[in-house]
Amino acid sequence: MNKHVVMSGMRPTGALHLGHWEGALKSWLLLQESAVCHFSIVDWHALTTEYQDPANIGGNIRQVLLDWLAVGIDPEKSVVYLQSAVKEISELFLLLSMMTPLGWLERVPTFKEQQAQLSDRDLNQYGFLGYPLLQTVDIVIMKADTVPVGEDQVFHLELAREIVRRFNGLYGDCFPEPQPFLTPIPKLPGVDGRKMSKSYGNAIYLGDSPLMVGEKIRPMVTDIRRKRRSDPGVPEECPVFALHKAYSRAEQIKEVAAGCRTADIGCLDCKKILIANVNEFLEPFRQRRSQYENMAVNDILATGNLRAAERARHTLAQVRDLMKI
Ligand code: TRP
Ligand code: SF4
């Protein structure tokens, strides 16, 4: 049986947290064992929104790379590369832009949504409109058939399939139609109870030290019913419990829930169990990170860049041929 070809990417916007683990990295690791995987740090995509202040992108690239390696993305198994190091992507972006109707890009919902959300920035750029086409190129230049993404990306994948169909129809079969490999958007709350997100400042990072994990979880808001130690609570209403469900063992989850409802356990003891479990979960990542920190991770990226560029060159030669250019 032919192996699936996987491609996915992340923008280098900063260190990764448990939300990234639940929403993406977990399934990347799974796919890495059975498919031909390509994982790209998409720095050109970062520029579409950060073009006014790109100073942090370089540092963030290293940060993301270290986080990927720390969780176990294995550069021997997967091609790990930097988007901007594969110049073939820019040529295919140009070629496909010739046959991509403006209307298809304008009706992608994230276009208007992001403009509204980041209203402090001017996002009326050609590059920003082209974001989903650039993403399409990331995918098709590797001839990927499987794209692990969150549900927020299904429209981008739909556009990618439309462009693939249009290309194959106009010039001849070249690209497979990429299917999303959906990762449920994690219901993981941050330490303030809202969705875990860097911009809310409520995230537990994959690189947090044991001390930091404790300092973040100890002051967490709990179920408001538990004003005093003797007040029973409703665990389902408590963000600490939501984290327990993700990182504690089944019997601990049961014990904590029962103890919360009867006020047999105090919130501080409940949090202590969670702190220990989150730290236990992060420990293998810390170990691997410290190994990689002493290695030349730039070389790892450089090797991945070469492998990615070789595959891209192949595809592009075929495209040029089909487009008679
Ligand atoms: N748009 C994706 C996001 O915001 C990132 C991305 C860029 C991507 N190129 C990709 C994801 C290719 C999958 C495949 O998360
Ligand atoms: Fe939340 Fe645990 Fe306190 Fe219950 S005991 S309110 S689950 S922290």
Side-chain angles (χ1 to χ4, degrees):
M1 210 181 76
N2 271 343
K3 279 189 173 185
H4 279 292
V5 178
V6 167
M7 193 275 148
S8 199
M10 275 187 201
R11 282 170 296 141
T13 51
L16 306 183
H17 51 67
L18 288 174
H20 294 106
W21 165 260
E22 298 295 334
L25 295 171
K26 211 173 166 172
S27 54
W28 290 17
L29 282 187
L30 207 79
L31 289 164
Q32 174 176 257
E33 295 310 317
S34 61
V36 184
C37 289
H38 305 84
F39 298 125
S40 177
I41 302 174
V42 290
D43 52 345
W44 281 334
H45 274 104
L47 270 185
T48 62
T49 53
E50 312 299 313
Y51 66 96
Q52 283 165 318
D53 185 16
N56 294 326
I57 295 179
N60 290 343
I61 290 169
R62 192 187 150 82
Q63 189 66 254
V64 169
L65 178 63
L66 270 175
D67 279 326
W68 286 3
L69 296 171
V71 298
I73 298 295
D74 182 348
E76 303 278 322
K77 294 180 183 160
S78 298
V79 184
V80 173
Y81 62 105
L82 183 65
Q83 182 184 39
S84 67
V86 182
K87 307 302 178 197
E88 287 76 7
I89 294 170
S90 63
E91 185 176 334
L92 188 57
F93 182 52
L94 181 143
L95 290 174
L96 293 192
S97 77
M98 303 299 171
M99 41 140 290
T100 303
L102 269 181
W104 290 11
L105 295 171
E106 282 161 348
R107 69 157 205 253
V108 172
T110 43
F111 177 59
K112 293 249 153 59
E113 275 164 28
Q114 281 250 36
Q115 278 186 335
Q117 224 174 58
L118 304 174
S119 54
D120 56 321
R121 305 176 209 181
D122 184 2
L123 292 181
N124 264 309
Q125 271 64 35
Y126 168 60
F128 185 67
L129 179 67
Y131 182 111
L133 176 61
L134 185 57
Q135 180 167 355
T136 299
V137 172
D138 286 335
I139 296 164
V140 300
I141 206 162
M142 297 304 160
K143 296 206 174 183
D145 54 34
T146 305
V147 184
V149 282
E151 285 155 61
D152 60 321
Q153 296 288 310
V154 290
F155 276 101
H156 290 179
L157 265 287
E158 226 159 84
L159 177 81
R161 287 196 298 280
E162 277 178 302
I163 292 172
V164 162
R165 283 196 286 271
R166 177 142 213 209
F167 184 97
N168 291 349
L170 282 172
Y171 309 111
D173 256 353
C174 183
F175 303 118
E177 286 186 26
Q179 302 300 328
F181 178 91
L182 279 189
T183 330
I185 303 228
K187 298 200 175 55
L188 209 66
V191 294
D192 62 357
R194 293 185 291 174
K195 172 181 177 275
M196 189 178 286
S197 160
K198 175 186 150 174
S199 49
Y200 292 155
N202 65 0
I204 297 172
Y205 288 92
L206 301 176
D208 277 353
S209 67
L211 207 73
M212 281 153 86
V213 169
E215 279 172 4
K216 286 180 180 178
I217 292 179
R218 241 175 274 115
M220 269 182 79
V221 289
T222 63
D223 177 20
I224 45 161
R225 290 170 192 81
R226 301 211 64 185
K227 288 195 191 65
R228 276 162 302 180
R229 170 71 178 75
S230 55
D231 295 334
V234 178
E236 287 74 21
E237 304 278 301
C238 175
V240 176
F241 187 66
L243 292 176
H244 268 298
K245 284 201 284 193
Y247 300 106
S248 296
R249 293 189 293 280
E251 76 270 14
Q252 290 176 313
I253 298 171
K254 253 169 79 184
E255 273 171 32
V256 161
C260 178
R261 286 196 194 96
T262 53
D264 280 338
I265 187 173
C267 288
L268 212 59
D269 286 326
C270 176
K271 289 171 174 173
K272 269 188 195 152
I273 300 170
L274 178 66
I275 292 167
N277 289 339
V278 169
N279 276 327
E280 196 182 314
F281 173 77
L282 292 176
E283 195 48 38
F285 300 170
R286 294 184 185 120
Q287 305 257 335
R288 223 178 283 118
R289 177 189 307 269
S290 68
Q291 283 165 16
Y292 277 115
E293 260 166 354
N294 301 320
M295 285 168 56
V297 285
N298 281 340
D299 293 350
I300 293 177
L301 201 56
T303 306
N305 292 344
L306 287 176
R307 289 170 69 192
E310 192 185 307
R311 191 171 174 99
R313 230 175 5 256
H314 224 78
T315 308
L316 196 57
Q318 206 182 350
V319 168
R320 287 198 203 105
D321 203 40
L322 288 166
M323 292 182 83
K324 317 288 178 214
I325 202 87

